[in-house]
Amino acid sequence: MASWGSRLPMRIRASFPSSLGQLRVSRPTPVQWLRRASAIHVPTANPVAGVEKEAKVHNCYGKTVIRTALANIAAKQKEASIPCPDPSPDSQTARFVEEYAPYLVATYSRPLPVMEKGEGCYLWDMENRRYLDFTGGIAVNSLGHCDPDFTSFLAQQASQLVHCSNLYHNAWTGSFSKLLVTKTLSSGGMSSASRVFTCNSGTEANEAALKFARKVGHNRDPSGSKHELVSFTGSFHGRTLGALSATANPKYQAPFSPLIPGFKHATFNDTASTLPLITEKTCGVIVEPIQGEGGINVATPSFLTALRKKCDEVGAVLIYDEIQCGLGRSGSLWVHSHANDQPEVPHPDVLTTAKALGNGFPVGAVLVNDSVASNIVIGDHGTTFGGNPLASRIAHYCLSRLSDPELHAHVREREAQFRGHFEKLSERFPGVITEIRGRGLLLGVQLDRDPGPIVTAARERGLLIITAGRNTLRFAPPLVVSGAEVDEGMGILGEAMRVVIEQAGVKGTRGGMEEVPRA
């Protein structure tokens, strides 16, 4: 007996899995057969109900009705077909997430895919969907996922010594600290760099920097009045209480108030309104040379120069937070390093770094000059895990790679390639892209609309991107991204934008977990 599927026209059967044509019908009605067929994979909300309704309207279950219904379903399936659709609610992934969700504090809003493995610039989820990763773990995986040498060093050191506490010296903390100072000096960055404090993360690095500034202020004015710190709108310095106090965003601060007193928030890149806030009571000023979470906003050289001059006048410590924008991401080791055609900017007294320093392993560092270091004595600060042998050896390896001038040249080449694609997308979708910001491989594309649907559409086509600030698409891929991968990703982005802009009703998630929307 021939199956119903085998009698369908080839153009309809071709739109379905090959197994569909092998479904045999003995006694079931055509609608029952359709229910089986539709269950294989049809992305419409309720295809069987639609077929039954159509059959009822025509008062028959004839072949013509079924062929017409199947053709409609096939057309919708073809139209909605995407390479990496988010897992369905009844998928293995959904069951996995639902099993463990009750045990997790709900601090993140995540899409459903569960990432399971990575290599280079690609990630795979637990259902083996492949994604080109232009988030880089939020500017962390600069050497790519599972870099072979990184993995080898990690395994080798883990088999030798992981941790022994800071009660004792170890073989790698001093070596890493020396390398950080020498590479910074040779790159043209922080000309007064002299000493390093190692820790576990970016927020810890900034906490240490703020504490160091407070200690300098107390030593310079024992009365305690020199304790104020100045930070900027659009900034993001971390989620611990001190770093959060410096993060000028009421949305993140309000639930945890009162915060640490003594913080003033100035307008980023606005010299006229900022300088009056830096007074004799100011012990420190903390600024990101390129704001990441705030929307990929680049500090102007004149603004940083004014900050440096004013800090010198009042005896305040100038802190550069290069946690996201540093370590080669801008096309030089540090954003403030004078490189190529970039204008020279003044240097800080304190520099904080993390993220790419461990390529995914938690490690951070604070680089200070002698003027700051001379105020810090034994017992002023410390950490249990910071600078352990494993973290320090990993940081030593990552820094040796990320400080390579050839890598920096590669980053600048990829930046030009990205910008070329952005310009073409701007021409293709007039008025949608309003500005392109950033430097190196920390780039922001400002949109005239919510970027969430584009983030979702890109992910479902195999590209991971995130947001920043307000209506900004952020691109922070691994620094080792190839030209072919840039072209691939931009092709996917173009298709995602086309779908969202030309087809109404596409919902989405913003895709930024550290994101700081403007107040």
Side-chain angles (χ1 to χ4, degrees), residues 343-364:
E344 188 170 2
V345 299
H347 293 181
D349 302 300
V350 177
L351 176 68
T352 59
T353 183
K355 283 190 179 286
L357 190 59
N359 204 52
F361 191 91
V363 59

Side-chain angles (χ1 to χ4, degrees), residues 356-496:
L357 190 59
N359 204 52
F361 191 91
V363 59
V366 187
L367 191 57
V368 302
N369 60 21
D370 282 333
S371 178
V372 173
S374 63
N375 288 272
I376 309 302
V377 299
I378 294 173
D380 275 349
H381 197 51
T383 169
T384 297
F385 298 106
N388 67 60
L390 180 57
S392 294
R393 186 172 187 185
I394 288 172
H396 187 283
Y397 169 74
C398 291
L399 178 60
S400 67
R401 290 274 305 275
L402 296 172
S403 58
D404 184 356
E406 291 187 7
L407 177 63
H408 302 162
H410 171 84
V411 168
R412 295 191 294 271
E413 290 174 2
R414 296 290 79 76
E415 176 191 2
Q417 187 178 0
F418 266 106
R419 287 183 177 274
H421 280 291
F422 294 152
E423 294 294 342
K424 291 178 182 177
L425 289 173
S426 182
E427 295 172 0
R428 182 179 174 186
F429 305 107
V432 176
I433 295 177
T434 61
E435 187 180 6
I436 300 168
R437 298 189 295 270
R439 186 182 300 171
L441 289 177
L442 183 58
L443 298 170
V445 175
Q446 188 66 40
L447 303 181
D448 69 340
R449 65 195 67 201
D450 176 15
I454 294 176
V455 171
T456 297
R459 182 179 65 249
E460 292 194 321
R461 284 157 180 79
L463 175 68
L464 301 179
I465 50 177
I466 50 176
T467 60
R470 176 172 292 170
N471 294 349
T472 305
L473 290 175
R474 176 174 21 167
F475 298 82
L479 304 189
V480 296
V481 64
S482 70
E485 289 165 338
V486 173
D487 289 341
E488 177 189 352
M490 290 299 94
I492 297 173
L493 177 63
E495 175 61 14

